[in-house]
Amino acid sequence: MSRVEIRNLRKTYSVPGGSQVVALQDFSLDIATGEFICLLGPSGCGKTTALNIVAGLLKQSGGEVRVDERKVTGPGPDRAYVFQDYALFPWLTVAENVAFGLESQGWQKTPRLERARAILAVMGLDKFADAFPKQLSGGMRQRVSIARALAVNPKVLLMDEPFAALDAFTRAQLQDELLSIWEALNKTVLFVTHNIDEAVQLADRIVVMTSRPGRMKLVVENDLPRPRDVTSPAYLERVNQVRASLGEEMGLGHHKTYRGLADILGAGVPAPAQEGASHVAN
Amino acid sequence: MSPIDATPATVAEHGPRSVMDRLRGPRATRFAHAAVGYLFLVGVILLWHLAASTGIYPRHLLPTPMEVAQAVREAFADGDLIHNVMRSLERQVVGYVASVIVGLPLGLVVGWSRWTQSALQTTIRIIYPIPGVAWVPLAILWFGLGFKSIIFAIFITAVFPILVNTAAGVAAIDEQYIRVVKVFGTKPLRAFLRVVIPAAMPFILTGLRLGYGTGWRVIISAEILAATDGLGFMIDNARWQLRPDLVIGGMLIIGIVGLLVETVFFDWLERRTIGRWGMQRTD
């Protein structure tokens, strides 16, 4: 069976001054083959740290990660990574970018570009195979980056807030496309996000994380049938459930009044609106 | 699955804009800016003509633009000018190519390894500010007057901007590119050729351009000190003949030949590479 086992992962950093900061601790997770997992939490909760350790980009301070029983000691062809900022090479064409993983594995030019073009064709990007990344929009760049990760046929897809920089419409389309790819290939996906809606939409299980120090707070089984209807009561209830579990993290229930601010700005009470003020529309 | 927002973005199709333009909003047209540039040049030549023809400054020291043009035409007609231009360019090409062959690979190595950086930094910092022409006396002692000395001076001048900028480009490589290389397990040599060098390209091109420019400036000085032909020799020789028209004409030729290569060639190279990739440096 092909699966990811994460055992008691811990990561500490030394900061200037000699003290240690705990970025991640007590992180354990068993991911089944073909399972879609979202790591959800605020920034600084260690979710990307956990992802990078699984990727082999970062060394853990303690614990271990196994993919198909094999201990992770560094990056490997069984795992591919999709970066938040796409990380495409501007000097390579779209097809060459998609083929970069294959090139790194020693594939010859013709077969690797053929494979890249075939993948791009399925994703409706074949028109842009010979374009440079700068000619593409953010959404298309991220799709190329996903194609690059898929091209090496990894067992596990690691994704670090891949859609965070996109507008809401493009994000919705890419989420849809990612699910189509996932259903077609049955890849195991570990997906980091800070977007509750995104997690509920995509994941089989949502790992809710908490910061300072980064650790797991709870795991939400997200068994809503697919395709998920984002307007259904069950969906909204799930979103609310996750949101409530994140409540403290989001600072909810600690409403601040900021009374002093008005004093600093020289107005104890709100000033009446002025006639003809020109900056109102801004 | 249908393609998403399948229109190429039109960013980066506009050239660099000055801060003034960006603050003011609608920018003056490209044509108007070019016209202002040429008008100013015409104004300078006109002022020069006035200064020379009215005799404010002694005529035998400051010839008019027309007299300078006439001197250049004569030098061109008797083949002298072409010969000297070719000699200077020949030295420039040989010295410059040598400095690229040495400076580029060395810069890549220095930029790649923190140890070589630490090892070389102090030495380079002391040698870098020495003007190329200051190497000429030593070169004459070592190689005698002529070709070798001049080549040495160009080489030593051009090699440092190339080396230093290339090293800076490699050292400044975006962390995300390194992570892609790690994730896909790219072998070091391939990573170097396919990722590190193109990523450092904006800096490398700056170094190549600077190296060429400083090399060209030094060659003229070196020819004044250590040659019997070339453009530097030509203007120095014209001084001995009390021919300010030929001195100024030669200087203008030096400027124009430099301009042609430095801007025309390197602009072309930049458009073919980092321009096409959308990687222009903003400075």
Side-chain angles (χ1 to χ4, degrees):
Chain A
M1 280 306 287
S2 147
R3 56 175 204 167
V4 180
E5 299 159 87
I6 303 170
R7 293 265 167 279
N8 299 318
L9 222 49
R10 187 169 58 81
K11 177 70 184 175
T12 55
Y13 290 101
S14 313
V15 289
S19 59
Q20 298 269 311
V21 170
V22 180
L24 188 69
Q25 70 177 35
D26 303 329
F27 189 83
S28 296
L29 190 64
D30 249 332
I31 306 172
T33 307
E35 199 176 8
F36 199 129
I37 299 284
C38 275
L39 299 184
L40 174 72
S43 53
C45 71
K47 55 192 193 299
T48 298
T49 302
L51 189 79
N52 286 340
I53 293 171
V54 175
L57 287 172
L58 209 59
K59 283 264 173 292
Q60 65 270 40
S61 311
E64 66 171 28
V65 177
R66 286 175 183 274
V67 176
D68 279 348
E69 316 283 318
R70 283 185 48 197
K71 204 167 162 177
V72 167
T73 54
D78 50 349
R79 287 150 290 143
Y81 200 106
V82 176
F83 299 89
Q84 178 182 349
D85 40 15
Y86 328 131
L88 297 175
F89 297 131
W91 52 87
L92 298 183
T93 64
V94 165
E96 287 169 336
N97 265 293
V98 173
F100 184 76
L102 301 172
E103 184 182 349
S104 299
Q105 294 178 2
W107 282 48
Q108 291 299 306
K109 189 167 187 170
T110 314
R112 73 174 185 246
L113 285 177
E114 258 171 31
R115 181 161 177 168
R117 281 173 194 282
I119 294 168
L120 287 168
V122 172
M123 294 175 73
L125 285 166
D126 39 340
K127 278 188 291 196
F128 300 98
D130 297 315
F132 286 100
K134 77 153 183 174
Q135 293 164 282
L136 308 184
S137 66
M140 291 174 73
R141 284 181 207 183
Q142 194 53 289
R143 296 171 70 218
V144 172
S145 172
I146 292 170
R148 174 175 68 183
L150 291 176
V152 295
N153 197 24
K155 290 173 182 159
V156 184
L157 210 49
L158 306 170
M159 308 182 84
D160 182 21
E161 306 196 27
F163 307 145
L166 304 174
D167 68 82
F169 298 97
T170 312
R171 188 188 310 142
Q173 287 172 300
L174 263 82
Q175 287 166 349
D176 235 37
E177 180 160 15
L178 176 62
L179 285 175
S180 305
I181 290 167
W182 175 69
E183 279 161 12
L185 296 175
N186 200 33
K187 299 280 182 214
T188 306
V189 181
L190 191 53
F191 187 109
V192 163
T193 182
H194 57 240
N195 185 321
I196 296 167
D197 201 61
E198 183 164 75
V200 174
Q201 192 140 185
L202 296 175
D204 291 322
R205 277 191 296 161
I206 301 167
V207 178
V208 179
M209 301 191 61
T210 155
S211 53
R212 281 178 292 273
R215 68 172 91 198
M216 281 165 74
K217 190 166 186 181
L218 82 159
V219 177
V220 178
E221 293 286 337
N222 191 25
D223 52 0
L224 298 169
R226 290 186 171 94
R228 287 173 180 162
D229 177 2
V230 297
T231 57
S232 71
Y235 181 89
L236 295 173
E237 191 185 320
R238 180 61 44 81
V239 171
N240 285 333
Q241 175 197 345
V242 176
R243 187 185 301 277
S245 73
L246 269 167
E248 295 161 39
E249 299 298 325
M250 298 169 75
L252 300 180
H254 298 285
H255 186 69
K256 302 184 179 82
T257 49
Y258 279 145
R259 230 180 291 279
L261 207 52
D263 294 334
I264 294 167
L265 299 175
V269 287
Q274 283 178 13
E275 291 283 320
S278 65
H279 280 76
V280 173
N282 291 336
Chain B
M1 182 89 10
S2 70
I4 290 161
D5 47 15
T7 26
T10 54
V11 207
E13 275 175 16
H14 311 287
R17 297 169 60 193
S18 75
V19 175
M20 198 180 77
D21 282 344
R22 278 176 284 160
L23 286 177
R24 283 208 183 143
R27 59 171 170 169
T29 61
R30 207 177 291 258
F31 174 77
H33 278 286
V36 167
Y38 288 115
L39 272 175
F40 186 80
L41 179 62
V42 169
V44 169
I45 295 173
L46 220 63
L47 267 178
W48 169 15
H49 178 79
L50 282 174
S53 58
T54 55
I56 299 174
Y57 203 68
R59 186 67 168 270
H60 69 277
L61 294 180
L62 181 64
T64 64
M66 284 312 290
E67 285 162 351
V68 168
Q70 181 61 27
V72 170
R73 202 174 310 145
E74 279 164 18
F76 180 79
D78 66 17
D80 229 31
L81 181 63
I82 299 292
H83 171 76
N84 286 321
V85 168
M86 293 318 286
R87 289 296 285 157
S88 293
L89 278 177
E90 183 190 331
R91 290 169 183 143
Q92 168 78 350
V93 167
V94 174
Y96 181 65
V97 166
S99 68
V100 174
I101 289 173
V102 173
L104 202 63
L106 215 59
L108 293 172
V109 172
V110 171
W112 190 245
S113 142
R114 196 164 298 167
W115 279 109
T116 54
Q117 268 173 60
S118 308
L120 292 180
Q121 198 170 42
T122 312
T123 310
I124 288 181
R125 276 194 183 158
I126 294 172
I127 296 177
Y128 199 19
I130 301 175
V133 68
W135 289 89
V136 175
L138 185 65
I140 294 174
L141 279 178
W142 286 356
F143 306 111
L145 290 172
F147 192 72
K148 278 192 207 157
S149 290
I150 299 169
I151 298 298
F152 176 77
I154 303 166
F155 169 80
I156 209 90
T157 314
V159 78
F160 286 108
I162 295 171
L163 193 160
V164 168
N165 278 284
T166 303
V170 173
I173 189 168
D174 196 330
E175 185 59 30
Q176 65 172 352
Y177 299 146
I178 305 287
R179 297 209 296 163
V180 175
V181 163
K182 281 186 185 164
V183 160
F184 288 113
T186 319
K187 299 270 189 304
L189 180 66
R190 189 182 301 275
F192 220 79
L193 295 175
R194 287 289 264 181
V195 180
V196 175
I197 293 177
M201 205 54 140
F203 285 78
I204 292 175
L205 286 177
T206 301
L208 290 178
R209 200 190 272 267
L210 275 174
Y212 190 92
T214 49
W216 182 244
R217 283 151 187 77
V218 158
I219 195 174
I220 305 303
S221 332
E223 282 172 347
I224 290 174
L225 294 171
T228 51
D229 55 8
L231 288 168
F233 168 81
M234 189 180 93
I235 60 171
D236 193 46
N237 195 46
R239 168 180 69 103
W240 287 105
Q241 298 169 3
L242 294 180
R243 288 280 309 276
D245 52 343
L246 199 54
V247 172
I248 295 173
M251 287 169 67
L252 291 177
I253 297 293
I254 290 164
I256 289 166
V257 171
L259 168 93
L260 283 182
V261 181
E262 280 173 43
T263 58
V264 176
F265 173 69
F266 284 102
D267 283 357
W268 171 83
L269 196 61
E270 233 172 72
R271 273 198 307 277
R272 289 281 306 161
T273 54
I274 59 177
R276 206 153 65 111
W277 308 332
M279 290 175 72
Q280 268 106 339
R281 291 174 71 180
T282 45
D283 53 11

